[in-house]
């Protein structure tokens, strides 16, 4: 029987690649994001290319009421979620605290921490009732180390690491597995968002070395969610071969 996986932030990058890969690997999908046109295009592609069922939910994860409303709008046969992939997230800006923008900090904290918590609260309650499930939090190398000017983004990913560990302890007795997937640099829309649409600045991030691609992370997530019931991948760090730690790159 196909399991149902909910992926937050599936309109681009890692979330989209994961949706496409899981659709080919015996999963049904609930995908979320703010860009409805992208969600519709993904649904069309998945329905055309795979036997997976797909349901789209268009909401802003920072809004708790909108999150509750979206999930309660799922039809009865979509209410059971076997796997939650908390992927929606972003970095906004890159600067010291002295000249950082409070609006950027709030966007990151509201999305990467509070948004993740809102959706996890609702879905984990369903998993407790169902007697099991699996939550996969997309963290980062930035959840393990702090790099120059990355202060608040790194803090949000350190929070994801702490929340992951807390969930794992609290959900142990309910049979809910909890994993963290921590990528290094992945060439997605991440840097374009961080630099507010500045293509040159975004492109420079991945210049001169081979970064990870979204599909590489999707393959890692597929591995994590297809282990047998008695095996949990607690935490997996996946890096480009050209990157060591968060700051060292083998740029040509
Ligand atoms: P993308 O910018 O390509 O994708 C981000 C996704 O998050 C989009 O689908 C976006 O959808 C969604 N999202 C952002 N804000 C919101 C919101 N308020 N409500 C709903 N959805 C939202 O970046 P990535 O694929 O790279 O990022 C995915 C995750 O991976 C993030 O958590 C990021 O921190 C993490 N990560 C990324 C790395 C990288 O180098 N790229 C490395 C390590 C971790 P929409 O805009 O349509 O709402
Ligand atoms: C994204 C990777 O190193 O730019 O989490 O923070 S990094």
């Amino acid at each position: 029987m196909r399991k149902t996986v909910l992926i937050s932030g599936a309109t681009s990058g890692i979330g989209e690649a994961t949706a496409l890969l899981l659709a080919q690997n015996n999963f049904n999908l609930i995908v979320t994001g703010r860009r409805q046109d992208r969600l519709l295009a993904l649904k069309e592609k998945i329905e055309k290319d795979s036997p997976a069922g797909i349901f789209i939910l268009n909401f802003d994860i920072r809004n708790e009421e909108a999150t509750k409303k979206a999930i309660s709008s799922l039809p009865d046969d979509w209410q059971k979620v076997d796997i939650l992939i908390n992927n929606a997230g972003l970095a906004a800006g890159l600067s010291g605290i002295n000249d950082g923008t409070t609006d950027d900090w709030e966007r990151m904290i509201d999305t990467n921490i509070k948004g993740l918590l809102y959706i996890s609260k609702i879905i984990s309650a369903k998993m407790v009732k169902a007697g099991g499930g699996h939550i996969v939090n997309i963290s980062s190398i930035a959840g393990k180390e702090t790099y120059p000017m990355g202060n608040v983004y790194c803090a949000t990913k350190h929070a994801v690491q702490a929340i992951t560990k807390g969930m794992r302890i609290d959900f142990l007795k309910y049979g809910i597995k909890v994993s963290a997937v921590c990528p290094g640099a992945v060439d997605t829309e991440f840097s374009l968002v961080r630099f507010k649409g500045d293509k040159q600045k975004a492109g420079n991030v991945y210049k001169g070395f081979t970064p990870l691609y979204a599909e590489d992370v999707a393959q890692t997530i597929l591995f994590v969610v297809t282990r047998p019931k008695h095996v949990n991948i607690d935490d997996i760090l996946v890096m480009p071969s050209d990157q060591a730690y968060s700051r060292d790159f083998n740029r040509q």
Side-chain angles (χ1 to χ4, degrees):
M1 196 171 127
R2 298 177 86 86
K3 287 185 175 171
T4 298
V5 50
L6 189 159
I7 306 174
S8 70
T11 56
S12 64
I14 296 168
E16 181 183 31
T18 303
L20 291 168
L21 186 65
L22 294 188
Q24 301 289 350
N25 282 275
N26 217 25
F27 292 91
N28 287 330
L29 296 156
I30 301 167
V31 291
T32 88
R34 291 166 300 177
R35 288 170 289 181
Q36 173 77 341
D37 55 332
R38 299 269 192 114
L39 290 173
L40 289 169
L42 181 64
K43 179 172 157 65
E44 197 180 314
K45 185 167 170 45
I46 284 179
E47 283 175 343
K48 186 164 128 309
D49 297 344
S50 80
I54 173 163
F55 203 93
I56 63 176
L57 293 176
N58 179 214
F59 65 96
D60 187 329
I61 202 168
R62 292 172 294 181
N63 182 328
E64 187 180 8
E65 278 315 306
T67 305
K68 280 187 195 161
K69 206 170 146 199
I71 291 168
S72 62
S73 77
L74 286 167
D76 286 348
D77 51 341
W78 284 89
Q79 282 287 335
K80 182 173 180 289
V81 174
D82 300 292
I83 300 166
L84 167 64
I85 302 179
N86 277 317
N87 166 74
L90 81 168
L94 188 70
S95 57
I97 294 293
N98 56 313
D99 53 13
T101 310
T102 51
D103 182 56
D104 283 347
W105 300 346
E106 273 151 22
R107 275 176 67 206
M108 290 188 277
I109 292 166
D110 288 352
T111 311
N112 302 356
I113 306 177
K114 290 166 70 182
L116 179 147
L117 288 171
Y118 296 152
I119 197 160
S120 298
K121 176 174 163 63
I122 303 168
I123 301 297
S124 64
K126 290 180 187 295
M127 289 175 172
V128 167
K129 268 197 195 147
H134 192 172
I135 299 174
V136 181
N137 293 326
I138 307 306
S139 178
S140 171
I141 179 71
K144 296 176 181 289
E145 296 170 22
T146 307
Y147 53 83
M149 318 279 211
N151 41 61
V152 177
Y153 176 69
C154 294
T156 65
K157 291 298 180 178
H158 277 66
V160 171
Q161 290 293 107
I163 291 165
T164 302
K165 289 178 194 163
M167 284 178 167
R168 192 176 301 120
I169 296 164
D170 298 339
F171 294 150
L172 188 59
K173 60 177 179 280
Y174 299 117
I176 302 172
K177 303 202 283 190
V178 185
S179 306
V181 172
C182 305
V186 195
D187 188 358
T188 61
E189 293 180 14
F190 177 84
S191 293
L192 201 60
V193 171
R194 166 171 256 169
F195 297 116
K196 296 159 188 164
D198 185 327
K199 286 190 181 145
Q200 198 178 350
K201 272 193 185 168
N204 284 342
V205 174
Y206 311 107
K207 219 173 214 162
F209 76 102
T210 308
L212 293 174
Y213 299 104
E215 294 70 24
D216 300 318
V217 184
Q219 289 288 353
T220 307
I221 294 170
L222 176 65
F223 176 78
V224 168
V225 299
T226 51
R227 293 312 85 210
K229 194 171 188 295
H230 68 287
V231 177
N232 187 47
I233 305 297
D234 276 16
D235 191 311
I236 189 163
L237 177 61
V238 51
M239 300 291 286
S241 307
D242 278 342
Q243 182 181 8
Y245 309 101
S246 56
R247 299 176 61 173
D248 295 319
F249 293 89
N250 179 34
R251 290 187 202 265
Q252 300 302 321

